């Protein structure tokens, strides 16, 4: 099946062709016709399956077919996502696909003033991509009219629930017509997710792209048993052994991300950092420099990197084991996307053993352990530039210098006696 087989708007068809999109992925093949036929959708699909275009393509096509008088302006499609980084990423996809269609777009996200956001939505916008918190602020204060909304899309719905956006979503629903088409996407399904989904969709077409092993077959993932304090040595070695590869490193907290970045800086590794504590512009810059390859290493927290689609990430490193087993799948899904292969390595300290068992229970199998001999382990620590500045090395160096001084001093004494 080719995209050209769908009866798409000429501009949309051209944009797909110019973007190199000829054949739909599995989820696109199953979702696009269902949405074009007017059905609600409940899709369970992990990242990297092409789900953004599974809702973007039919949304754009349906809007080009609608004849909404501009004097009765109201956005006709709303896409809600958990983070503003993901919102901007999806905005980029829509921009590339809507060229020449006449459709107008806006992102409603945190980091901008309400006045700035109102300036965007007052420009006859057709499609809004938003985070629930900011969208709820505008709706609650009657600063946006959603009375003509035709399509509601929720992407990464499981993450939105996890982040506490449930009430915001329900408040937004009060301002949206009941007669609408709803597309619900989630990477995982649980009783809470199912309850939210069926409160939104009506007689949906259900699509599940979830193999028995939730990890993509394109990803080789393994685990290294390493002491917590030694993790920085192994990260340094990995980065220096693969200087041309893009490497995405996950830590559990913002503080850890900053500390790991500082540790890499001490050994002459230029790494970016991405977490929710940074100003919006700094997060944007970190993503841009990593995406464009200006820096090869990005250290991130789970929240900041959820749903990001960055090309050509070769390695994902779980510097800290994730607290939630599902997060493991989301993290390593940043590599091995599409038809490309990727590698994921997890650094597991003894105190993280329970987290490892939880992940293996979810996967249904053990994670391959990389066996290192004591000699190889110590060799990695010795390889590190940081190892040259620890207190044991300094003491050893001081003793060596003292011995050299004493040897030289003895030679001088002997020469003096001969004279």
């Amino acid at each position: 099946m080719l995209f050209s087989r769908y009866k798409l708007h000429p501009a949309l068809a051209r944009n797909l062709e110019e973007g190199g999109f000829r054949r739909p992925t599995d989820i696109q093949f199953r979702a696009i016709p269902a949405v074009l036929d007017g059905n609600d959708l409940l899709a369970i699909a992990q990242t990297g399956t092409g789900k953004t275009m599974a809702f973007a393509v039919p949304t754009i096509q349906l809007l080009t077919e609608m004849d909404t008088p501009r004097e009765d302006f109201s956005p006709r499609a709303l896409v809600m996502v958990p983070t503003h980084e993901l919102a901007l990423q999806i905005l980029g996809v829509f921009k590339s696909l809507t060229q020449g269609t006449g459709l107008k777009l806006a992102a409603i996200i945190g980091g901008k003033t309400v006045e700035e956001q109102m300036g965007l939505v007052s420009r006859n916008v057709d499609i809004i991509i938003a985070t629930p918190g900011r969208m709820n602020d505008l709706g609650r204060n009657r600063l946006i009219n959603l009375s003509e909304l035709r399509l509601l899309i929720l992407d990464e719905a499981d993450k939105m629930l996890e982040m506490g956006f449930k009430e915001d979503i329900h408040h937004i629903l009060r301002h949206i017509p009941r007669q609408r088409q709803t597309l619900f996407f989630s990477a995982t399904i649980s009783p809470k997710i199912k309850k939210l989904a069926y409160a939104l969709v009506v007689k949906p077409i259900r699509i599940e792209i979830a193999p028995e092993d939730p990890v993509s077959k394109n990803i080789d993932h393994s685990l290294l048993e390493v002491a917590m304090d030694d993790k920085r040595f192994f990260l340094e070695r990995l980065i220096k052994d693969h200087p041309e590869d893009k490497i995405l490193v996950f830590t559990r907290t913002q503080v850890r991300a900053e500390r790991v970045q500082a540790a890499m800086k001490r050994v002459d590794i230029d790494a970016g950092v991405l977490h929710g504590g940074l100003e919006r512009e700094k997060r944007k810059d970190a993503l841009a420099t990593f995406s464009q390859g200006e820096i090869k290493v990005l250290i991130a927290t789970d929240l900041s990197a959820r749903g990001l689609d960055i090309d050509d990430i070769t390695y994902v490193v779980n510097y800290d084991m994730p607290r939630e087993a599902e997060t493991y799948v989301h993290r390593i899904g940043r590599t091995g996307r599409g038809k490309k292969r990727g590698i994921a390595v997890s650094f597991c300290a003894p105190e993280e053993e329970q987290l490892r068992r939880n992940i293996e229970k979810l996967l249904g199998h053990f994670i391959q352990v990389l066996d290192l001999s004591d000699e190889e382990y110590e060799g990695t620590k010795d390889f590190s530039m940081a190892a040259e500045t620890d207190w044991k090395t300094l003491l050893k160096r001081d003793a060596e210098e003292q011995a050299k001084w004493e040897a030289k001093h003895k030679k001088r004494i002997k020469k003096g006696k001969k004279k």
Side-chain angles (χ1 to χ4, degrees):
M1 179 69 180
L2 301 174
F3 276 115
S4 58
R5 296 288 298 275
Y6 298 118
K7 295 179 180 179
L8 300 176
H9 186 282
L12 175 56
R14 182 177 63 252
N15 294 334
L16 286 167
E17 182 69 27
E18 290 177 355
F21 301 107
R22 298 187 68 250
R23 292 182 180 276
T25 65
D26 191 8
I27 190 169
Q28 292 162 11
F29 176 75
R30 296 166 66 180
I32 291 173
V35 178
L36 292 178
D37 284 342
N39 295 291
D40 282 8
L41 194 69
L42 172 55
I44 312 302
Q46 61 196 65
T47 54
T49 55
K51 59 187 174 68
T52 300
M53 283 183 52
F55 61 76
V57 170
T59 295
I60 294 167
Q61 178 60 28
L62 289 173
L63 294 190
T64 61
E65 295 172 359
M66 291 180 187
D67 185 20
T68 302
R70 302 316 292 173
E71 61 267 28
D72 295 332
F73 167 72
S74 171
R76 293 177 287 176
L78 170 62
V79 183
M80 286 201 290
V81 298
T83 66
H84 81 252
E85 286 86 3
L86 182 55
L88 292 175
Q89 180 178 296
I90 291 176
L91 178 66
V93 174
F94 272 93
K95 278 183 176 179
S96 67
L97 294 178
T98 54
Q99 292 181 33
T101 64
L103 297 176
K104 296 182 180 180
L105 317 166
I108 305 299
I109 53 178
K112 291 182 177 289
T113 65
V114 172
E115 289 75 17
E116 287 176 309
Q117 307 273 260
M118 286 307 302
L120 290 173
V121 300
S122 65
R123 299 173 191 164
N124 285 359
V125 174
D126 298 285
I127 304 169
I128 289 178
I129 299 101
T131 51
R134 177 48 62 95
M135 195 67 200
N136 185 34
D137 288 342
L138 297 184
R140 187 176 61 245
N141 292 300
R142 301 181 183 279
L143 296 175
I144 189 168
N145 173 22
L146 299 174
S147 62
E148 296 296 322
L149 198 78
R150 295 290 180 267
L151 282 151
L152 172 65
I153 301 107
L154 285 85
D155 190 23
E156 303 275 7
D158 51 345
K159 192 62 179 178
M160 284 193 276
L161 275 189
E162 184 183 318
M163 292 171 63
F165 285 132
K166 181 180 177 181
E167 290 304 314
D168 289 309
I169 293 170
H170 282 299
H171 285 151
I172 292 166
L173 291 176
R174 297 172 188 171
H175 305 281
I176 295 175
R178 289 182 179 274
Q179 295 297 318
R180 64 173 188 271
Q181 192 173 355
T182 303
L183 315 180
F184 187 99
F185 289 79
S186 178
T188 58
I189 191 71
S190 68
K192 286 184 179 180
I193 296 294
K194 197 176 290 186
K195 185 177 180 180
L196 175 63
Y198 282 102
L200 297 172
V201 296
V202 178
K203 297 180 180 179
I205 300 295
R206 176 164 174 158
I207 298 172
E208 189 161 359
I209 311 294
E212 289 186 14
D213 186 344
V215 175
S216 168
K217 293 179 180 178
N218 291 345
I219 302 171
D220 297 318
H221 58 122
S222 54
L223 180 143
L224 190 63
E225 295 172 335
V226 56
M228 191 69 76
D229 290 341
D230 292 341
K231 289 185 177 186
R232 66 189 190 278
F233 302 130
F234 287 86
L235 180 60
E236 178 193 349
R237 183 66 181 263
L238 176 66
I239 293 169
K240 288 184 174 178
D241 282 351
H242 303 88
E244 299 304 316
D245 291 326
K246 275 187 184 177
I247 301 174
L248 179 59
V249 182
F250 282 102
T251 62
R252 207 154 38 226
T253 66
Q254 296 176 12
V255 172
R256 287 279 281 176
E258 295 281 356
R259 287 178 178 172
V260 174
Q261 184 195 35
M264 293 303 100
K265 186 176 181 179
R266 288 195 294 271
V267 294
D268 294 337
I269 291 173
D270 186 18
V273 67
L274 180 70
H275 60 68
L278 296 173
E279 294 177 358
R280 186 174 62 88
E281 286 303 315
K282 287 186 177 180
R283 293 203 299 271
K284 188 177 178 181
D285 289 343
L287 276 174
T289 54
F290 185 60
S291 297
Q292 295 162 12
E294 294 176 26
I295 57 171
K296 295 294 186 180
V297 183
L298 182 66
I299 301 160
T301 55
D302 296 308
L303 176 59
S304 63
R306 177 68 185 261
L308 292 180
D309 187 4
I310 298 172
D311 291 336
D312 302 324
I313 294 176
T314 305
Y315 282 89
V316 167
V317 178
N318 288 313
Y319 191 87
D320 294 322
M321 298 296 285
R323 293 195 182 280
E324 301 296 330
E326 291 82 0
T327 302
Y328 179 85
V329 177
H330 293 307
R331 284 183 178 184
I332 70 175
R334 303 303 105 211
T335 187
R337 300 174 78 83
K339 295 182 179 180
K340 296 179 181 178
R341 295 205 63 79
I343 302 168
V345 180
S346 299
F347 296 162
C348 184
E351 53 266 47
E352 297 175 303
E353 187 60 33
Q354 184 58 53
L355 300 177
R356 168 187 175 177
R357 286 197 290 267
N358 293 343
I359 293 166
E360 290 176 333
K361 183 178 179 181
L362 173 70
L363 300 179
H365 60 79
F366 294 113
I367 302 171
Q368 178 188 357
V369 177
L370 299 174
D371 290 324
L372 281 184
S373 66
D374 292 343
E375 185 178 351
E376 289 172 319
Y377 191 104
E378 292 302 320
T380 297
K381 292 172 63 177
D382 292 340
F383 167 86
S384 173
M385 289 176 61
E388 297 180 2
T389 59
D390 66 25
W391 66 273
K392 290 181 181 178
T393 305
L394 291 174
L395 287 175
K396 183 180 179 181
R397 185 182 298 167
D398 185 63
E400 289 172 348
E401 290 177 355
Q402 180 69 21
K404 287 180 182 178
W405 182 88
E406 290 177 355
K408 186 182 285 188
H409 186 66
K410 286 178 181 179
K411 286 181 180 179
R412 286 178 180 174
I413 292 174
K414 287 180 180 179
K415 286 182 180 179
K417 286 181 178 179
K418 286 180 180 179
K419 289 179 181 179

